[in-house]
Amino acid sequence: MSSLKLPLQQQGHELCEKGDFERAVSAFSEALLKKNADVISILDSRSAAYCALKQYDKARRDAKTMIAQARQDARGYMRGAKALLLDKQPKKALEVYAYGLKVLASGNAGRPQLEKLHKKLEDHILNATKRIDPFSMFPVEIAAFILQHFSFRELSVILMVCKGWARFLGGIRDLWMKIDFSGARQKVKWNAVRAAIRYSRGALTHATIKNMALSSMPQTLDYLSRCSYLEHLELFINHSGNDIFQKFRNCKHLKTIIFSAEIGVTKNEISKFLAHFTKLERIEFWNVRSSILRIRPEWPTFLPNIRSITLATQESVPRFDPNALTLPGLDNNKAGAPTYPNLQELRLDWEPPIYHRWFFFPQTDPFDGPTTGALWPLRRLELNGLTISQNFARILPTTLEYLSLSGGSAMTHHFDEPIPKLTKLHTLKLKDTRWMGPGTLPYLLAYTEAPLRVLHIEEAPRSATDALRIALSDASACNPELFKLAELSLASTQGVNYDFVKWISSHFMDLRVLDVSRTPITGLTIRDFAVAKVTTGQLALPNLDCLIVRGCEFVSSDAVEFGRQRGLQVIT
């Protein structure tokens, strides 16, 4: 049967279900004119349709008619209160509920529902009146101190709670000295950057620009370049490095410049940054290109403020070392070369599409005489893609605390002696170092006498596990500090199985974190470590807190649950 042939009241209900409330109102109005019409039900339905159309006055009028014609029918009071609530008049709605409860008899079937609605609304209004703006409870200094513990993204969310909070937060300049859009869930537009700069009164010191709408980039850079107090500039955008230099050349207070791989810069352009921004302490350029015609860039001859340098490139240079990663004056031996007396961190990253040998400068011929350490007093050194030579270990500075080597190749599989004493080295990370073996790893672990607390040997061949056995044997005599290791990662390393882990556990009694991800270990390893938490098991590592087994296909969910129930943190 089509809707046109249905009784008018039913037709109105079907029109409401379809969202056609105007025609539904017409159908209900016509139905009221029919003989023997169920007036209260039709008025109730028409009042609901009026509410859907946001015609609250007409909805309340129908509810009043319902109450006048049937004072003992709870529907009239509920419909009238509903219309008032939708019209944002909760106190008047509460009065309607109260009036209905006064009129309805105690045994009325609709009274319990009306009592429930009355109580719910009463509690809501009471709680609303008790709410106190937290920022009004504290002095401005205390509120500002609390807000400083929120991230920039969290502050941006708080800002949108209400106009009062927006005015309050916007009035605290110190909250907006550092902006960071790296956590944005959608593309950021230029007006958000402008607002943050206005809140800082133009005194912005730190800016991390990421997830920006492409159309907003010109305005964003223009606004940022006007912040003369800017000290930290971190850009994850697709833009010209030279154009950025021209825009920000008046920001003389810059101490940190970080450009993502989307921003290509040449060595000559980097030299301009170094020469112009004399207060620079940290630079990171993740897409460095060789200088034109391999002309050596004219870097400043003295850079006393530089503390951290990161250079990365992917360009192919089949016949030469990558010019993009050549750091002028690296060995401090050449006349007129730049010196970096306070350089503490150095990261050089080379990952070309087709790999070619790259010798970490300075390189000496294996047949030359012994060389002395030539690097500055670095604390942190990270090299990716280098080619190891025999003298590599000898040029490591004794001040080194963190050493990370990944990828690359080797001209040799053993280091020359004498090996420096790296008595401050607490972290050693080796990843995809296929050249690591008995002639290299024992030298780094044992003969350097490094008091390591963190050791990562990841994606290594079987020779690395064999070398580790030799290294621990040698360390017994010359580096007992090695056995105080607290964190060990053997992820994706060949030769790591139940027996090897059992052997490892007998040497590193202080180990707290062990990563054996993507290895063929089984649930037996988890079981033994979990049992060792409460009693002496096959693996004697009672101090182990965390076992990482990501990608271990022979580890069952039951074994993971068994370990967790006994206090062992198992990460899958």
Side-chain angles (χ1 to χ4, degrees):
M1 181 184 295
S2 70
S3 62
L4 295 176
K5 297 179 181 180
L6 291 174
L8 290 169
Q9 187 175 356
Q10 186 176 351
Q11 180 182 338
H13 287 305
E14 294 213 352
L15 289 169
C16 283
E17 291 177 359
K18 295 178 180 178
D20 193 349
F21 297 108
E22 291 184 356
R23 291 179 61 195
V25 167
S26 299
F28 290 135
S29 299
E30 191 176 347
L32 287 172
L33 302 176
K34 297 298 182 181
K35 186 178 180 180
N36 300 322
D38 187 352
V39 175
I40 301 302
S41 294
I42 296 174
L43 286 172
D44 188 36
S45 300
R46 190 171 72 172
S47 179
Y50 278 134
C51 284
L53 292 170
K54 297 184 178 181
Q55 298 176 12
Y56 304 123
D57 289 340
K58 294 181 179 179
R60 289 198 298 270
R61 184 184 62 192
D62 279 355
K64 288 180 180 179
T65 303
M66 292 170 65
I67 294 171
Q69 294 190 15
R71 289 174 58 82
Q72 291 299 316
D73 194 322
R75 288 179 292 177
Y77 307 103
M78 289 189 285
R79 186 59 65 187
K82 180 69 173 178
L84 287 166
L85 283 172
L86 291 172
D87 199 20
K88 298 182 179 179
Q89 300 183 59
K91 291 185 178 180
K92 288 187 176 182
L94 187 66
E95 292 175 0
V96 173
Y97 285 140
Y99 178 71
L101 291 174
K102 183 178 180 181
V103 172
L104 293 179
S106 58
N108 190 291
R111 187 181 177 88
Q113 179 65 16
L114 199 64
E115 289 177 342
K116 182 179 179 181
L117 292 172
H118 177 270
K119 180 67 168 60
K120 183 178 180 180
L121 181 57
E122 186 179 44
D123 291 343
H124 175 76
I125 293 175
L126 183 62
N127 291 333
T129 57
K130 287 183 177 180
R131 290 176 187 160
I132 300 176
D133 188 342
F135 295 133
S136 67
M137 298 174 60
F138 304 107
V140 175
E141 296 81 6
I142 300 298
F145 176 78
I146 295 172
L147 288 168
Q148 286 175 354
H149 289 76
F150 289 91
S151 67
F152 178 77
R153 181 178 176 277
E154 290 167 337
L155 287 174
S156 300
V157 173
I158 296 174
L159 196 70
M160 295 185 290
V161 170
C162 63
K163 292 182 179 178
W165 283 19
R167 286 193 297 270
F168 181 77
L169 268 69
I172 305 176
R173 187 185 71 170
D174 290 349
L175 295 177
W176 307 101
M177 304 296 277
K178 300 178 180 181
I179 62 173
D180 183 354
F181 292 101
S182 59
R185 294 184 177 179
Q186 56 186 2
K187 293 297 182 182
V188 180
K189 296 184 179 179
W190 61 269
N191 51 3
V193 178
R194 181 186 63 179
I197 293 174
R198 285 180 175 177
Y199 291 145
S200 74
R201 313 293 193 273
L204 187 75
T205 60
H206 289 62
T208 299
I209 304 301
K210 193 175 184 180
N211 300 317
M212 293 297 301
L214 185 61
S215 59
S216 293
M217 282 315 310
Q219 298 98 320
T220 296
L221 293 177
D222 283 341
Y223 280 119
L224 287 175
S225 64
R226 299 173 193 172
C227 300
S228 57
Y229 294 100
L230 197 63
E231 296 178 3
H232 178 102
L233 180 62
E234 189 170 359
L235 300 178
F236 294 82
I237 59 174
N238 189 352
H239 207 77
S240 163
N242 188 57
D243 183 60
I244 295 172
F245 172 79
Q246 296 300 331
K247 287 182 180 294
F248 288 87
R249 61 183 305 125
N250 292 325
C251 299
K252 298 288 188 169
H253 295 280
L254 274 175
K255 295 181 180 179
T256 301
I257 295 179
I258 300 175
F259 286 177
S260 70
E262 298 172 287
I263 305 175
V265 292
T266 66
K267 291 294 289 298
N268 285 326
E269 289 171 345
I270 295 177
S271 68
K272 289 197 297 184
F273 279 99
L274 292 171
H276 187 77
F277 302 106
T278 57
K279 294 184 179 181
L280 277 177
E281 298 177 0
R282 175 186 175 192
I283 58 171
E284 289 187 22
F285 297 104
W286 289 91
N287 184 6
V288 185
R289 299 166 184 168
S290 298
S291 302
I292 300 175
L293 300 177
R294 303 189 61 80
I295 298 175
R296 180 175 177 174
E298 296 181 359
W299 286 39
T301 57
F302 188 55
L303 297 168
N305 294 319
I306 286 291
R307 287 173 169 79
S308 177
I309 296 177
T310 296
L311 302 179
T313 186
Q314 294 184 348
E315 65 177 1
S316 296
V317 281
R319 297 181 58 188
F320 306 96
D321 285 344
N323 174 268
L325 300 183
T326 301
L327 208 60
L330 182 66
D331 56 0
N332 284 338
N333 291 329
K334 296 184 178 180
T339 55
Y340 318 80
N342 296 306
L343 186 65
Q344 298 180 359
E345 300 180 0
L346 176 63
R347 175 168 183 170
L348 302 178
D349 193 296
W350 191 39
E351 196 170 351
I354 301 176
Y355 181 77
H356 300 285
R357 289 176 176 174
W358 163 48
F359 289 96
F360 176 58
F361 192 84
Q363 175 196 358
T364 60
D365 191 288
F367 299 101
D368 286 347
T371 59
T372 58
L375 297 180
W376 311 272
L378 293 174
R379 295 172 55 189
R380 186 183 183 102
L381 177 62
E382 299 181 59
L383 302 172
N384 178 30
L386 80 160
T387 300
I388 290 293
S389 58
Q390 283 181 272
N391 75 310
F392 172 75
R394 281 192 285 158
I395 65 174
L396 297 177
T398 57
T399 54
L400 209 57
E401 298 176 7
Y402 181 106
L403 175 61
S404 175
L405 306 174
S406 60
S409 60
M411 288 291 292
T412 180
H413 289 280
H414 68 276
F415 291 142
D416 282 346
E417 295 185 19
I419 299 296
K421 306 302 181 184
L422 305 179
T423 55
K424 295 183 179 181
L425 186 66
H426 57 70
T427 300
L428 175 61
K429 295 186 177 182
L430 307 170
K431 184 176 181 180
D432 191 25
T433 49
R434 300 288 166 177
W435 44 266
M436 191 60 64
T440 49
L441 189 60
Y443 283 80
L444 291 177
L445 298 186
Y447 301 150
T448 59
E449 300 181 13
L452 292 178
R453 295 297 177 265
V454 177
L455 174 61
H456 290 193
I457 304 175
E458 301 178 351
E459 300 179 23
R462 179 60 181 263
S463 59
T465 55
D466 295 336
L468 186 56
R469 292 179 184 270
I470 298 173
L472 293 186
S473 176
D474 294 346
S476 299
C478 57
N479 188 17
E481 280 290 315
L482 180 62
F483 299 105
K484 296 180 181 179
L485 199 68
E487 178 181 327
L488 175 63
S489 176
L490 299 169
S492 302
T493 293
Q494 298 177 23
V496 176
N497 51 29
Y498 174 79
D499 291 332
F500 186 80
V501 173
K502 180 180 177 181
W503 176 80
I504 282 290
S505 70
S506 66
H507 288 78
F508 298 120
M509 299 300 294
D510 294 330
L511 204 61
R512 293 191 174 274
V513 179
L514 176 61
D515 188 349
V516 287
S517 298
R518 298 175 295 280
T519 62
I521 68 159
T522 66
L524 291 175
T525 299
I526 297 178
R527 182 204 64 184
D528 289 345
F529 281 130
V531 171
K533 296 289 290 183
V534 294
T535 184
T536 302
Q538 290 181 322
L539 296 179
L541 275 181
N543 294 320
L544 191 71
D545 295 324
C546 178
L547 181 63
I548 305 173
V549 292
R550 294 190 181 99
C552 295
E553 56 181 321
F554 300 115
V555 172
S556 67
S557 58
D558 291 341
V560 172
E561 185 62 28
F562 179 87
R564 289 172 177 171
Q565 288 177 353
R566 282 153 183 79
L568 180 65
Q569 183 183 6
V570 184
I571 299 178
T572 58

